Amino acid sequence: MHTPSKWSLLWPVLATLVLPLVAAWFAYPDTHLPPKFGVFPPEFVTQEPAFNLYYFIAVLVAELAVGALLLFPRLFGFRPVAPPAPSPKAPFPAWFWVGLVFTLFFWWLMWARVTPFGDLVYYAFSPMWWGFILVLDGIAYRRSNGNSLLAKKPKTLLLSALVSVGGWYYFEYYNYFVFSNWYYPNGHMPELSHSTVVLLFLIAYTTVWPAIFEWYSLLRTFPKLGARYASGPRLPLPGTLLLVAGFALIVLMVFLPLPLFWVLWIGPMVVIGGQLIRKGIWTPFTALAQGNWTPLVLIALASLCNGFFWELWNWGSANPNPVPATNPNYWVYDIPYVNVIHIFAEMPLLGYFGYMPFGLLVWLVFLWAGSLFGFDASLDSDPARAAANGADQSAPTLLPYEAR
């Protein structure tokens, strides 16, 4: 084993920040930057292209293929694996009930958009989400006999919140290069100062990583679900090829922001994942190379589950009547070609698919940060069950060369 240098982990991520700026210098000869670059919170930039049937069908076919793999894994070469016995149940912890009260109260306040509590209505988003995080942790605690992130690894949960802030700002940066696939129509509301809005966004960003990780921890308490994908085709991925392909996609995205809007997520994912593979650091790709798809599938499903609540609660904070506007964090999508079929959500129906690779990207960023800054980025609160379920029991330790 060897420990990768800090620089070997840092330079690829720095490159993902610099490459779009270099490409923009040539893509926008007059301004050298995309329109409204740096305006925060991001605003509406331009009307994206309307519905395109061919693009829609292509995305739909890809999503149906992924859905078929998830629903019928044996058709794709997965072998049955005996699941471990379920854990004994523990009582709900105290923080579950606290979180439930916070979730329900601030959910009501955010959707009701009334002000019996003064200006508290403008601040409902983050308390609601942190309450929900406590609820998810409490359910995982009960189902796993007391093994939850908050109970066993509170430092990891706290660090995930800190990484979440930097991580989401990173994605907001990329959003500028695709003409703001999402923007915040209430981000400059007159009721709040700009500095207050920025602070509220900063606090809201702390919830992204913890929420997805709590969903992942909860899904792992279903032994049959983990075992379903634990013995599949071995798929070793070439780290160097991923790294180079990611850089190329990022550059092309700047020149072709409409057809390649999805590179916002996929480009950084393959760059960071590729470099972690090259350096022998555990990722879900490591398990994939060994035929264990469980970590990858569960983190994708965790993000998808959380995405349902993100979109539903966001929609209800401004719909069906957008007046009064009380949620500064409310977002709207401006996605080219597929921005149709909205069911109680600003997110188009096919757009939910994007939550699955997003969950993987979130985990890769956390594993990268853990390796760079030297903290424990494993999500295991019960090593024995993690080993049985094929979870990330080795993360983020290094692997010998033969296992890469």
Side-chain angles (χ1 to χ4, degrees), residues 259-317:
L260 297 182
F261 68 90
W262 46 269
V263 173
L264 184 159
W265 311 111
I266 303 301
M269 181 182 76
V270 296
V271 167
I272 296 172
Q275 187 66 353
L276 293 179
I277 291 172
R278 293 178 73 241
K279 294 304 170 182
I281 297 170
W282 189 94
T283 71
F285 294 142
T286 309
L288 193 67
Q290 299 164 352
N292 180 8
W293 292 56
T294 298
L296 186 147
V297 170
L298 291 191
I299 197 65
L301 292 177
S303 182
L304 182 61
C305 290
N306 203 61
F308 169 80
F309 288 92
W310 265 325
E311 300 304 336
L312 176 65
W313 286 342
N314 175 66
W315 180 87
S317 71

Side-chain angles (χ1 to χ4, degrees), residues 28 35-36 43-49 176 178-181 183 257-258 333-336 339:
Y28 302 95
K36 294 196 176 182
E43 299 176 335
F44 175 80
V45 175
T46 182
Q47 187 65 51
E48 300 283 19
Y176 292 120
V178 292
F179 301 156
S180 292
N181 276 182
Y183 62 96
L258 300 180
Y333 294 100
D334 193 22
I335 302 174
N339 199 14

Side-chain angles (χ1 to χ4, degrees), residues 23 25 56 78 133 139 146 167 206 216 226 228 240 246 261 264 303 325 353:
W25 182 271
F56 183 89
F78 286 79
I133 289 167
I139 299 173
T206 66
Y216 174 77
R228 185 179 179 86
T240 299
F261 68 90
L264 184 159
S303 182
F353 173 80

Side-chain angles (χ1 to χ4, degrees), residues 141-358:
Y141 179 98
R142 172 173 169 76
R143 290 186 52 82
S144 62
N145 197 27
N147 288 296
S148 72
L149 286 175
L150 184 57
K152 299 294 185 180
K153 305 192 74 172
K155 182 178 178 181
T156 298
L157 191 61
L158 174 61
L159 287 170
S160 74
L162 297 177
V163 172
S164 185
V165 175
W168 192 259
Y169 269 119
Y170 177 84
F171 301 143
E172 294 284 12
Y173 168 77
Y174 262 74
N175 191 30
Y176 292 120
F177 294 97
V178 292
F179 301 156
S180 292
N181 276 182
W182 68 89
Y183 62 96
Y184 305 91
N186 300 339
H188 298 84
M189 56 196 312
E191 293 85 355
L192 300 172
S193 68
H194 184 259
S195 59
T196 299
V197 169
V198 171
L199 179 60
L200 289 178
F201 272 71
L202 181 74
I203 297 171
Y205 292 170
T206 66
T207 65
V208 179
W209 267 244
I212 291 177
F213 290 164
E214 288 290 1
W215 271 108
Y216 174 77
S217 298
L218 177 57
L219 292 179
R220 280 174 49 201
T221 67
F222 295 87
K224 291 183 180 179
L225 181 62
R228 185 179 179 86
Y229 308 102
S231 182
R234 298 190 177 202
L235 189 60
L237 299 178
T240 299
L241 181 60
L242 289 177
L243 190 71
V244 174
F247 288 145
L249 283 172
I250 288 169
V251 171
L252 289 173
M253 175 195 70
V254 179
F255 287 94
L256 302 169
L258 300 180
L260 297 182
F261 68 90
W262 46 269
V263 173
L264 184 159
W265 311 111
I266 303 301
M269 181 182 76
V270 296
V271 167
I272 296 172
Q275 187 66 353
L276 293 179
I277 291 172
R278 293 178 73 241
K279 294 304 170 182
I281 297 170
W282 189 94
T283 71
F285 294 142
T286 309
L288 193 67
Q290 299 164 352
N292 180 8
W293 292 56
T294 298
L296 186 147
V297 170
L298 291 191
I299 197 65
L301 292 177
S303 182
L304 182 61
C305 290
N306 203 61
F308 169 80
F309 288 92
W310 265 325
E311 300 304 336
L312 176 65
W313 286 342
N314 175 66
W315 180 87
S317 71
N319 286 282
N321 182 2
V323 179
T326 55
N327 178 18
N329 300 106
Y330 169 69
W331 63 85
V332 176
Y333 294 100
D334 193 22
I335 302 174
Y337 311 125
V338 297
N339 199 14
V340 294
I341 312 179
H342 299 261
I343 304 174
F344 298 108
E346 300 296 349
M347 172 71 80
L349 185 61
L350 293 190
Y352 280 96
F353 173 80
Y355 274 117
M356 300 181 77
F358 174 68

